Structures are given as structure tokens and as C-alpha cells.
Amino acid sequence: LPPDPATLTVNKGVSDPTPIPGQTITYGIIISNVGQLPATNVVFTDTLPTGVTYVGADYNISLGGTFTETNGDITWNGFDLTAGTSTTIKITVTVDAAIGDTVTNTACADHLDDRTDVCNDANFTVRAPIVELLMDKSVDNETPRVGEEVTYTLVVTNNGTDTANGVIVSDPLPLGEVTYVSSSPVDAFNTSTEEWDVGTLLPGASSELNITVSINEATEGTLVSNVATVSSDENSTPVSDDANLTVYTPVVELTIQKVADQNFPPEGAEITYTIIVNNIGDDNATGVTVTDTLPDGVTFVSAGGDGWTCDSTVYCTYASEIEPGFPESFDINVTVNPGTAGQTLTNTACTSADQN
């Protein structure tokens, strides 16, 4: 019996049948000679459809022939394929089609003894990228004091199966409550736009930013809420998380004690009142003042003490801080006025601080 003539088959597939826009995919074409005689002067053609752009190709150059690509028209002309053998052609393209589009690509081959095309096609349907961004924000101290520095930590994670592109985190710092100090990585946080340009985030990958701020004055007891929001080219709905802190309110409790060096002074005598201010709270008292309205039966002479400054109305200020358990004192000197014999003179002093 005569041998079977050369007979070509074409099989075509695609590396990803559901790619996303912009993805690079590869068509694989297998041309086989299932006959018993050589296939000579084989011609392979593949006209790329709308929706893909040619990137490159890989083929067995040792089989000879001429391989060309012009504006998506691909031809491998004039190679031979011996009986019972196959050759594979790989064509790489990028996906330009829109989400939901189905793209069909057909490849064909014939040979010298039979110029009837043998064809096969491969399809893919463009899907939307699966990007699931997670925003996590925390602060290292939830009860800082005025003037202290705290650090916000922002972590963005892509829990999707596709790469997130154009990832941007917006983090407007609370106006008037905190002041920006620095960020890590250095300069990653744009203080003008208050944004962090993450860029690209692979599936399962995370990126972290630390923002250090200082707590502004006059914010004691303030609840400071800071919200960070992340978005990407693929995520039309931003994802947010917040971190809250409450500025510590100092606990200052002042007591004041007043004693006179004489309880029954004669008219014209000079007496000394000693004022003792103690802090029984937990924190240092600042801006401590004492006011003492002298009774009508005495005349002011002088007042003061170590760290204390007083005026003639007996309004006194303490230059430093009064620590818990360390009382500070000063003296007020007065003379007893004539005509006060037998009168009871009552003198009251009051104290206050910045914290109360």
C-alpha cells in the first residue's frame, strides 16, 4: 500500500482564557504532520484580531522558512515538517479589549501538496480585575500628653488575586490637633497633598507607612480621630480605617494652707501670713497662682518667697512647676491698722493652676 500523504493538524490554545485588560498572554499553536510523508513548503498564518497587540513570537527556526509579522498579520512561510512530527509556535500579545469582550483568534496551516487551510481557534473573555484592598491604621499611644510624639502605622494589603495599580492612600492629619514631624520611609508621605503613593501592589502583598506627629498645645482631653483611605485604579470604592487617641488630661489637685505667726497681735504690729501650696494630684502643676484679698484691718507691707512673685494686691505667681508631694510656700507681711482692737480679721487665700 502506498504511504499516507502528508496531513496537517492545527491545535491552538491560550495561556489565560479570562485575562484582565493590559495583561500579557500567550497563544500556543501546535502544527502536526500526522501523515506518512513529509509536509513541504508549509505555510502558517495567524491574523491577530482587534483587542490584542503583538509583542513577540517563539518558533523553531531550525525548520527553515521565513517568519514575519506586519501589523498583526503573522506568517511563517516555507518550512518543512517530517512525517509524525510537530512544531509549536508561541505568540505573545497584550490584551487591549474591554471588560466583557470575547476575542477569537484563528490560526491556519497548509502545505505544498494540499493548499487547503487547516484551522483552529482559541477564545478568551476579558474579566474585571479582582483587587481587594484592606486598610489598617493604628497608633502607638492612645493617651499621649501635649507635646509628645506619636506614630501612626498604615498598612495596605491587596487580598485580591490580581495586581492593584495606582494605589493611593489619603490621610488628612487632624487640623489644629497634631503637627507632622516625619514619615518612614522618608518622604513617602506628601505633606502638601497628605497622600501616600503606594503604586503597585501584587496579590497578597502589603505595604507599610509610619507617620510621626506631635500633639498640639491646648488639646488636653480631646478625642483625636484620624482616618486613612485607600483606592486604586481597579477599586472605584475607597476603603478606610481610623485610629483614635485621647490627649491625656493632667491630674492636678492643689491644696492651700494659710497660717499667721500671731493670733492676737496688738494694733500697729507686723504679722506674717505663710501660704503653703501643695499638689496632691498625679502630675506637675504649671502656672500656679495665689490670690489673697487682705481684710480692711491690715495694711500690705510685702510678699514673696523662693520662686514666687507677688504684687501689692497680693496676686502671686510661681515661676516653676509644683510636683506632687513637694509643697511650695511664701510669706505675706502686713501691719495691723489702728482702731482694730477686739476685731476678728479673717484672711482667705485661693490658688489655681493651668490644669484646674
Side-chain angles (χ1 to χ4, degrees), residues 137-153 173-174 177-183 210-216 224 226 243-248:
K137 181 165 189 176
S138 60
V139 64
D140 64 349
N141 185 356
E142 294 183 349
T143 56
R145 296 171 182 265
V146 166
E148 288 185 341
E149 293 184 356
V150 299
T151 298
Y152 292 110
T153 298
L173 298 177
E177 297 171 343
V178 301
T179 300
Y180 174 83
V181 176
S182 63
S183 66
N210 293 295
I211 301 175
T212 299
V213 300
S214 61
I215 305 299
N216 289 355
V224 179
N226 187 203
N244 299 322
L245 62 86
T246 300
V247 183
Y248 179 80

Side-chain angles (χ1 to χ4, degrees), residues 14 34 212 229 288 322:
V14 64
V34 298
T212 299
T229 302
V288 177
I322 298 182

Side-chain angles (χ1 to χ4, degrees), residues 1-26:
L1 294 175
D4 293 336
T7 302
L8 297 180
T9 63
V10 176
N11 290 289
K12 183 168 188 175
V14 64
S15 60
D16 188 346
T18 55
I20 62 175
Q23 183 178 332
T24 298
I25 60 174
T26 299

Side-chain angles (χ1 to χ4, degrees), residues 1 201 224 235 312 326:
L1 294 175
L201 206 56
V224 179
N235 268 41
S312 60
F326 290 88

Side-chain angles (χ1 to χ4, degrees), residues 232-249:
S232 70
D233 293 343
E234 298 79 11
N235 268 41
S236 57
T237 303
V239 179
S240 301
D241 192 27
D242 62 6
N244 299 322
L245 62 86
T246 300
V247 183
Y248 179 80
T249 300

